[in-house]
Structure formats: structure tokens, C-alpha cells
Amino acid sequence: MTENTQQQNPAPTTELPTQYAPAEVEGKLYERWVERGYFEADAKSEKPPYTIVIPPPNVTGSLHLGHAFEHTLIDALTRRKRMQGYETLWQPGMDHAGIATQNVVERELAKEGKSRHDLGREAFIERVWQWKGESGGQISGQMRRLGDGVDWSRERFTMDEGLSEAVQTIFKKLYDDELIYRAERIINWCPRCLTAISDIEVEYQDDDGELVSIRYGDGDASIVVATTRAETMLGDTAVAVHPEDERYKHLVGTEIELPLTGRRIPVVADEHVDPEFGTGAVKVTPAHDPNDFEIGQRHGLPNLAVMDEHAVITVHGPFQGLDRLEARSAIVAALRAEGRIVAEKRPYTHSVGHCSRCKTTIEPRLSMQWWVKVGPLAKAAGDAVRDGKVKIHPQEMEKRYFDWVDNLHDWCISRQLWWGHRIPVWYGPNGEIVCVGPDEEAPSGEGWRQDTDVLDTWFSSGLWPFSTLGWPQQTESLAKFYPNSVLVTGYDILFFWVARMMMFGLYAMDGTPPFHTIALHGMVRDQFGKKMSKSFGNAVNPLDWMDTYGSDAVRFTLARGANPGVDVPIGEDWVQASRNFANKIWNATRFALMNGATIEGELPPVEQLSAVDRWILSRLNKTVAEVDAFYEDYQFSKLSDSLYHFAWDEVFSWYVELSKTTFFAGGEQARVSGRVLGEVLDVMLRLLHPVVPFVTETLWTTLTGRESLVIAEWPKDSGFRDEAAEGEIERVQAVVTEVRRFRKEQGLQDGQKVPARLDLTGTPLAAHEAAIRQLLRLQPEGEGFHATATLPVAGATVALDLSGTIDVEAERKRLAKDLGAAEKEKQQATAKLGNEAFLAKAPDNVVDKIKARLAKAEADIDRITTQLANLPQA
């Protein structure tokens, strides 16, 4: 629906409550928008498409400031495009969040004294679905609070039937193309969650541990190695040194004794070893370290696992059955008793990986898992950006993207969980392996069993841009809305989610990337730039701020801090300032409506407009052009600032104030200015709407009597410019600003009236004398007028009679101080301009700046000298 076909409200009114109360407005407005289908996208529409997918929040999650920030930016983009006439789809949905959701339900079971194994796989999964139906997805209601204009009729879930079909389809396709394989390799293992986890699910932090140096072998046939994980020495199958390290050349190819075990292990030469680090020798435990695994592969070393899935030692009698940390202490004690400990350092602070879900220390573990061969997929993802098919914004983030995709290792996609997409592979009684697609029958009969693992959550979310549109079916929605127009997401998941969507999109959709642009934003931080965290005590629930200040205030604060790719500091006082801005819009619009602001009828011809009217219309069109340019460049901070200053500074603080005398006088000019003010408010509210939708909707529908801003037309720059009017009003502003500054310096109250003589003859300012006097509280001079202060500004002179209102001696001292500063500036500038050596070397622009400083200093001296001369004698 376009603006021209909008319904009129049944009873348009120019009356507004005296105060804006967000809580009374926001919920009702949002439900009305949804009920009327404003956010629903029509795949049959002939309008050009504009598509953005929501980065799917976890079904276990709730709205945090990071969500609110990202959703605000996406909502602003989609609301604007909808107003511009695009068939706009903001695709909502949630991620099943394998580990997080399974953990939640397992904790619920633990309260009943049960584990998932007590229920069995099918019953447990049924219990998870039950939890999702009752408690999952609370974030959807919170998104409504924020004002998210998503198409709720298309909401998807990564475990729903359609997306499950997509997962099985692409797994089968990758498997048939030999891009999915099964192999034993080192993975990140969580001994608490009992599953492999992805790199993004590992959180690194500095922990206090110990660094012990251990002597392997004896005499000349000995080597010292250092480790923070002494327990893994039980699984050592070699010691490695650099091939060029002269200290150990005599040992390469020999065997030395591994303490405590009675085993002898080889000394191998490998270029991975840094001869400058430590002793230049490293222990090699291929089953418990990714780098050691690679060394082991190169040298044909055996993989000796010494821990089970719970990180409990499984070998060597004295330590068997001990937890890894218990074993660490016991092994160090045993080595010390044998005189094998050369050095000990504790505490030794080093970076340690932890499971992001349960905070357990990660254990690198050799395990049979399913993998994606990412080489060709990653190359395509890199080439798409290099070839310009996909643009990364800001462009400087491209290097980080290439650093990642150009160096990707194969991706471990299997997880030892029950909740998730089960791997569609069956194993037969005679070693057969069969991958089953969605339209194929699974093998049946004695001895056949399905793989028990499920897929990494990122596997299904990597399909999000096209699976949500019905792929693998060739739907109307897929044809209309793929590829996405832009992906808006944080730089922190550029390497994980974004890279996977690029790989899968290009692979599944015949080389068509999933989006045209990747717009990256930073992280929300507290007002001091510190990461927000519950453990730091600085985490903020955005719903609390919404309750206190309104959703518009939270949205405007977040948008105003959003510079591309840069972190966003935010504090409550900033949200309060945004609430004040919303109130300012409300109060000023209410005043305008009470004083004849209207959109009825055509805008009066230029010759009927005052200079003030022409000025604001010129500034309005410049603002439209500026805001459009910032939107196209994803400069949310700059467009928000532009709108803030236009609305507050130019419309409310200047145009409304300069027009008050016109409105109060009434007549034809008041009617003209009322129509101009209506036009300005109409366009301004449209421009503001994508960022602050609730207050603008309320005001705009009241102003226009039309149905909704959501479906109104986006403003266009008419091209109207009036530089002469802008220059004229700038001179008015200069006079008012300078006199206000002077009044403040004299300690005059804002409302205190002062007799004044205005010499505006021969300047365009003469037409604005009434407005200038009104704004500055300047009375006519009257009898007995005595100019105690004279202010020359903008080609005019303002003489003030401050008899009895100022401390003349204090004013004389202030002016004398200013005069001294101006004379010093003149002296310095004159000296530089008189220095031939300086002038010979200085660039022209530097010389021009000094000349300008000299001219200003001379003008200041003239002005201050005049003011001093006009002060009354003591």
C-alpha cells in the first residue's frame, strides 16, 4: 500500500496528550502493525525485493543489548526500504542451539533426579520439544517490544520439517560430492557436555596453572621438555626437535626412555619446532594435542589415548582412574620423587580454552568424527568477495575475512548430542555405509543402525538464507527473495556463521552468493568501553531501559552509536538523553499542531515564502539527501546525528522559535508558515520513523490523518535549495548566538528583559528584528536609554543598556583579558608572516590559515576596543 492509497483515520485530531507515555503507545501500535499485515512480504509482488534474514537467536535466549543493537539496525534498513516501495522481507526465526538447549533440559531433569539416559533418546527429544513449546522462544515477545518489523507469518525454526529437509539434502549432496567424510582427528572435547564443540564454542581465558620442565632419558641421551599438562606425558610417543638444532642432532633417530612408563620413544626432527622457544624440544602427544597430531602424521607415530570421554586417566596403573587434574598433581609428584623435575613455575598464567556453555576446561581429544572438506568451498567464498560479487562493509574488514577463509581447516560437523539434526548415515552389519537423502528409504533389517551423532548447529544455520525460503523446493519465495540484499551481523561471527553461509550458499545455489553485501557492526560495550558481562556486573537488560525510557529511546541510542565495524559504548545517561529527544519531538509537534501546522493543500509558491520558510525547506532537502547517502553507506551513527541536529537544532530551536511571531500575528503569512511547518514535520517524521517508529507513528498519523507511517512513502529530495536564505538565517543565528553568549557571561537570566537598540539598517536582518528581539528578550530602547555594551556582529550592531544589571568593573576586566589574548594572537601571526624563511618553506594552505588568524585577531581587537569604549565610566 502506498501513501496515496492509505486510509484516513476515522477522526483525525490535532490534539495530543501533554506528555508522551511510551508504555501506553508502543504495545498497541505494534499489534496494529502486525494485524494489518504491514510486515508481510508477498512473493508474487512485482515490486523489487529487499531481503534481510535475522541472525537466528538461540531458542534458549532472551533479548540482550547485542540483539537490541543489531535488530535496531536491521529494522531501520527494512522500514526505509518498505517506505521506498520495495517488497521487503525481514525473515525471522530461531536456532535450535544444540548444546545450550540440551543442557537446559538436562538441568530440568536433574531436578527430578533423572538423566537423559533414564528417558532414552526418543523420550528425551520429545521432552525437549515440550520445553520449547512451553518455555522456549521468549525472545519473540521481546522482539515485539523493540518494534522488530519481521514477517511473523514466515517464522522458521532450524529443527522444523522444512529446514530439516534442507539439512538432509545438503548433507547428501556434499557426501556424494566427496566433500563430507569420516575420520579420526583431534577435536575440541568438553568432558562435561560429552561432545565435540566448534571453535566458536570455545572461550579462551587466562588461567593460573603450572609449567614444569621434565628430563626424559639420562646423561648425554637426555632431553628436557616443558609442559602445562603433565598428565598427557603418559601418551607421549616421541620428542621433537628442529632439524637444524645442533644441540640435538646426535639424538635424532635414537630412542630415549619416557619416565614412569618404561616405554622408549623416538626423537624426531620436525620443522614445526621453534628452536628458540624454551629448550628447543617438545613432547609429542598425538592423541591429545592438534599440533602434535600433525607431527605424528608426518612421522608415522602411534596415537596413544590416555583419557576417556570424562577426562579420566585410562592407562598406567598408579594413575588409572584419576581425573586429569588429580593425575597432573600425582604425576608431577612421582616425577619429582625420581628426580626428573628440572624446574617448576607456578602460578604460570596461560590461555586456556573453556566450553562456552558449562565453562569446563576443553580437552583436545582424538576422536572419530564427521568432517566437511572446506578447501573448494572456502575458495569459492573467498573468490566471491575478491570478484566483487559480495561486498564487505566496512571494506577494511575484508583482510580479516580473507585471513580466515584462505586458511580454513576442515570442519568437524558431528556432535555427540541427542538434540539436533541426526546424521543421515546408516551402518550395515558388514561394514556398509549408506548416506540417505530426504526422499530415500533408510536401510532396514538386522544389523543396520543409524549414526548416533547430530550435526553442529552451525551446519543448519549456514543454510539460513535459502532454507528459510523453502529450499530445496524451488518456491516462489526462493525465486523472489534470494539472494538476500544485505547481511547485518557482528564482526565477531564473521569467521563462523558468515563464512559458513557463504560456503553453503555458493555451493547449493549454483554459484549465487547468499547476499550482496555483508555489513559488519561492532560489539555493544559499557560507557567506559568495557565488555558487558554478568560477571563484570555491567550487563544491562534492555527491557529494563525500555520500561523506563521507552523503546524508541533505546533504539535511537544504539543507532546513534553505530559506526561500521566499531564497538559501541552505551550508558544509561545516553538513553535518558534519547528519551529527552523523543519528548522534544512530541512537545514541538504538539505546539506546531496547536498553531496551525498542516499538510492540507499544495505547498505555497516560493514567492509567498518568507526567508525563514525558504531556509528550513532548503535545509530539509539537504537533510533528506544526507540521510539517504548515510543509509546507503550503513552510517547509522551519522544519519542519526544528522536527524537529531536537524530536528532539535534547526526545526525546533530555530524555525519554530523564529516563526512564533508570525504565528502569534496570524493572517496569511501565518497560514503559509503553518503549511511549511506541516511539510517539514511530515518529512522529518518520515525520516525519523525507521529508527524511532513508535513516537513518529503517533505524531504523523495525528498530523496527517493517514493510516500509518510504516506504509508511507519515503521522502525524496525535491532539489530545492536556497543558499541566499540559508546565508540570511545564518546571520540571524549569529546575532542571536552572540548576544545570548554575552547575556550568559553577564549572568542575566534567560527571561530577563533588557532595553536594546538594533542597528540593522542595510542588512537582510532588518526583516527579522521582531523575531530577534523576541528570542533575545530585548525591549525597545525607550527614554533614558544608555548603551553600556555594544556588540557588532554579522554586519549589524546590538547596543544594550545593562545599567544596574551588570558589574561594570568585572566586564571591563573580562574584555581586557580578551583584548590581551587577541593582541598576542596578532603579534604571533604578524611575526610568522614577516619571517621570510618561514614563508619560503610553508605550504600555501598553512600561510592562508595564518593570514586568516591575523584577520580574525584584528577584527577581535576592533570589536573589543569598541566594547570597552562603550562601557559606562566607573
Side-chain angles (χ1 to χ4, degrees), residues 377-627:
L377 302 175
K379 182 181 184 304
D383 290 346
V385 175
R386 287 188 175 93
D387 297 344
K389 288 183 181 178
V390 178
K391 298 189 184 307
I392 293 180
H393 187 85
Q395 190 174 2
E396 55 264 28
M397 286 286 182
E398 282 187 3
K399 183 180 183 302
R400 296 179 66 176
Y401 176 78
F402 292 136
D403 286 346
W404 179 257
V405 297
D406 293 346
N407 297 286
L408 270 179
H409 297 294
D410 285 359
W411 170 21
C412 176
I413 55 172
S414 45
R415 299 291 180 267
Q416 291 64 55
L417 304 170
W418 287 357
W419 173 243
H421 297 101
R422 194 165 175 182
I423 289 175
V425 171
W426 272 255
Y427 304 103
N430 299 311
E432 304 96 330
I433 299 178
V434 176
C435 179
V436 178
D439 299 323
E440 300 172 346
E441 287 289 331
S444 58
E446 187 177 350
W448 283 93
R449 60 184 177 82
Q450 185 178 358
D451 197 298
T452 57
D453 288 353
V454 300
L455 288 163
D456 178 11
T457 298
W458 295 99
F459 191 94
S460 52
S461 60
L463 314 179
W464 193 247
F466 52 93
S467 64
T468 52
L469 298 173
W471 188 89
Q473 308 305 321
Q474 298 305 305
T475 64
E476 285 183 319
S477 291
L478 188 65
K480 177 73 175 179
F481 296 112
Y482 187 91
N484 288 191
S485 305
V486 61
L487 174 75
V488 179
T489 191
Y491 64 70
D492 59 323
I493 56 174
L494 171 64
F495 316 125
F496 304 104
W497 187 47
V498 178
R500 281 149 175 69
M501 285 190 291
M502 286 284 283
M503 291 191 296
F504 280 168
L506 289 160
Y507 174 74
M509 300 300 292
D510 300 320
T512 302
F515 18 73
H516 298 301
T517 302
I518 302 169
L520 297 170
H521 58 73
M523 304 295 100
V524 178
R525 297 182 178 272
D526 70 14
Q527 64 200 77
F528 305 108
K530 190 175 181 180
K531 179 181 177 181
M532 284 192 173
S533 167
K534 290 181 180 178
S535 60
F536 294 155
N538 62 349
V540 172
N541 183 348
L543 296 171
D544 292 340
W545 280 354
M546 289 184 215
D547 290 341
T548 305
Y549 304 110
S551 297
D552 283 333
V554 174
R555 290 170 61 113
F556 191 73
T557 304
L558 291 166
R560 203 173 179 194
N563 289 298
V566 178
D567 288 346
V568 183
I570 184 171
E572 187 167 2
D573 54 338
W574 302 340
V575 185
Q576 187 173 357
S578 295
R579 188 271 312 274
N580 295 344
F581 178 53
N583 288 342
K584 184 72 172 179
I585 300 171
W586 181 272
N587 294 333
T589 303
R590 183 171 177 271
F591 168 85
L593 290 169
M594 293 169 61
N595 286 275
T598 179
I599 64 162
E600 296 302 321
E602 295 295 323
L603 202 61
V606 174
E607 56 268 20
Q608 292 184 19
L609 302 179
S610 68
V612 179
D613 293 334
R614 286 182 280 115
W615 163 73
I616 198 61
L617 290 174
S618 182
R619 291 296 308 131
L620 175 69
N621 280 284
K622 285 184 178 180
T623 301
V624 172
E626 190 173 71
V627 168

Side-chain angles (χ1 to χ4, degrees), residues 739 741-749 752-755 786-791 800-815 867-868 870-874:
V739 177
R741 182 192 66 79
F742 179 77
R743 287 178 57 111
K744 185 176 182 181
E745 288 174 350
Q746 304 310 310
L748 297 177
Q749 297 299 314
Q752 188 173 351
K753 294 182 178 180
V754 177
H786 178 61
T788 60
T790 303
L791 305 175
L800 305 173
D801 183 353
L802 301 178
S803 302
T805 62
I806 67 168
D807 183 334
V808 174
E809 191 56 36
E811 177 63 7
R812 193 182 304 281
K813 287 180 180 179
R814 184 189 70 80
L815 289 172
Q867 288 178 258
L868 281 167
N870 287 333
L871 282 176
Q873 298 300 313

Side-chain angles (χ1 to χ4, degrees), residues 19 67 100 119 184 215 308 369 375 409 419-420 456 465 566 629 668 818 827 845 865:
Q19 290 185 320
H67 289 129
L119 272 65
E184 191 176 43
R215 178 171 49 82
D308 66 12
Q369 302 285 345
H409 297 294
W419 173 243
D456 178 11
V566 178
E668 179 61 17
D818 290 350
Q827 181 182 8
N845 65 319
T865 301

Side-chain angles (χ1 to χ4, degrees), residues 56-60 93-98 101 157-158 457-458 460-461 464:
N58 288 351
V59 67
T60 58
M94 286 183 291
D95 193 288
H96 65 280
T101 305
F157 180 55
T158 49
T457 298
W458 295 99
S460 52
S461 60
W464 193 247

